[in-house]
Amino acid sequence: MGITPVDVSIILPVYNAAEWLDECLGSIKRQQDLGEEMTVELSIFNDSSKDDSLDILKSWKDILISVGIHVILSGHSNAEPKGVGYAKNEAVRQSSGRFLCFQDADDIMDPMRIKLQYQAALKHQNTIIGCKVTRIPKDSTIRYTRWCNGMTQKQLLTQVFTSHGPTVLMPTWFCPRQVYDKVGGFDERGKGIPEDLLFFHKFLELGGAVCRIDEYLLTYRYHPECTTHSVHRDTIWDIRITAIQKNIINQWKHFTIWNAGKEGRRFYRSLSTENRSKVKAFCDVDAKKIGKVYTYEECKESPKPKVPILHFSEASPPFIICVKLDLTGGGLERNIESLNLVEGEDYFYFS
């Protein structure tokens, strides 16, 4: 006899989360209007936690069942965890929901999260639905939090190549099961692999859409044990370089790199030979750089590639902007606006 599908499966991977699980599970228990509009299950995979996580999870099972949330709890007890990607995949595999609501064990749902995201998902097929977040501690990652909460719906697609990662934060994802099936699940290589970023880019390349509910529906915790800290910056850089070339630069005939400094030059050196040849200029605001020529001395080509450095007002679009957002006191944004450029057409951020 087959398993009767539910409307929503909450996907909860757990690894050494004892410190935060009571808050997390309590917030799931407090979800409003679940019985009226949808059936919900909680699918948990314990990735060989060495603390009291398993005992806490077991203690909550009957409590959650009492409010109508079916609980599926599994895991393994190997010497080492298999990683976030594996744990998420296992939690999805054992679930039956038509929609998947991803939750991190150290975060806290707003009581209206599932209801509002479920309603949005019914209207937006083939879409990852996110939401705004409240950060704790309050003063942690101020620029990052301002970025992820402040983007327009259009920028959720145009700013996917920045170093911040997915424009819709993974712990806020809510989507039809078909989204997960289309991508084929999360990368299972384990520690150091940004499984959410890889999933996100693959989904977009397959024609997927993203949407953010402009309500604060998740409290997003920052702490030293966050799995984000295990991912090396160079790994993320390589993924971003591959994505922006495949989806944007390969279709351009020429372009300008905005930033003749360290980040702009690194971006130039990271490009394929064909795409480096499309770079007509660097542009900048620094008078000490303008008018000079950058020579790629490390290149094995002969003659060495040379690229002029122009003032931004004399450069031609399209641009790849390698200047970090929200760090110039609004100067970068004013300069872009002065050229009447359209984001997503005339320029993309790689910052």
Side-chain angles (χ1 to χ4, degrees), residues 315-332:
S316 300
F319 296 94
I320 297 297
I321 299 180
C322 298
V323 180
K324 289 191 178 297
L325 293 161
D326 201 16
L327 275 182
T328 62
L332 172 64

Side-chain angles (χ1 to χ4, degrees), residues 2 20 68 78 80 88 115 121 130 162 191 199 281 288:
W20 309 289
N78 294 358
E80 297 294 331
K88 287 176 182 172
K115 178 179 179 178
T162 75
K191 188 175 181 179
F199 186 106
K288 295 179 180 179

Side-chain angles (χ1 to χ4, degrees), residues 243-254 275 278:
I244 200 168
Q245 290 190 96
K246 181 177 181 180
N247 297 291
I248 305 299
I249 297 175
N250 286 356
Q251 284 73 53
W252 284 351
K253 294 182 179 179
H254 61 82
N275 285 331
K278 298 178 182 179

Side-chain angles (χ1 to χ4, degrees), residues 140-319:
S140 59
T141 65
I142 294 173
R143 286 179 52 246
Y144 174 67
T145 306
R146 187 159 54 222
W147 172 78
C148 66
N149 287 336
M151 280 178 288
T152 65
Q153 293 295 327
K154 180 181 177 181
Q155 287 173 329
L156 296 178
L157 290 174
T158 60
Q159 294 194 8
V160 297
F161 308 112
T162 75
S163 61
H164 288 316
T167 50
V168 175
L169 276 62
M170 170 73 222
T172 73
W173 287 8
F174 191 108
C175 63
R177 180 176 289 270
Q178 291 90 331
V179 165
Y180 175 88
D181 292 340
K182 177 182 288 190
V183 175
F186 294 96
D187 190 296
E188 296 188 357
R189 284 176 288 172
K191 188 175 181 179
I193 300 298
E195 83 293 333
D196 56 341
L197 183 61
L198 291 169
F199 186 106
F200 189 71
H201 278 300
K202 186 174 180 180
F203 175 60
L204 294 179
E205 288 172 7
L206 291 170
V210 291
C211 176
R212 187 191 65 224
I213 295 176
D214 286 335
E215 300 280 350
Y216 293 89
L217 301 179
L218 186 82
T219 299
Y220 184 36
R221 193 186 306 271
Y222 178 88
H223 56 85
E225 288 77 34
C226 289
T227 55
T228 305
H229 299 315
S230 71
V231 181
H232 197 280
R233 290 183 179 180
D234 288 346
T235 301
I236 296 175
W237 177 277
D238 291 343
I239 293 169
R240 293 163 57 214
I241 281 287
T242 298
I244 200 168
Q245 290 190 96
K246 181 177 181 180
N247 297 291
I248 305 299
I249 297 175
N250 286 356
Q251 284 73 53
W252 284 351
K253 294 182 179 179
H254 61 82
F255 66 100
T256 301
I257 298 175
W258 192 310
N259 186 354
K262 182 179 178 181
E263 288 296 292
R265 296 180 185 195
R266 182 186 179 193
F267 178 80
Y268 174 80
R269 295 192 300 269
S270 299
L271 295 171
S272 67
T273 301
E274 180 180 355
N275 285 331
R276 277 203 309 271
S277 70
K278 298 178 182 179
V279 178
K280 298 306 178 185
F282 288 96
C283 72
D284 212 294
V285 296
D286 186 349
K288 295 179 180 179
K289 297 186 180 82
I290 294 165
K292 295 182 179 180
V293 175
Y294 169 68
T295 302
Y296 184 13
E297 296 289 357
E298 299 86 355
C299 184
K300 295 180 180 179
E301 297 173 23
S302 182
K304 305 288 187 186
K306 296 179 181 292
V307 185
I309 303 173
L310 310 176
H311 188 270
F312 77 89
S313 63
E314 298 176 344
S316 300
F319 296 94

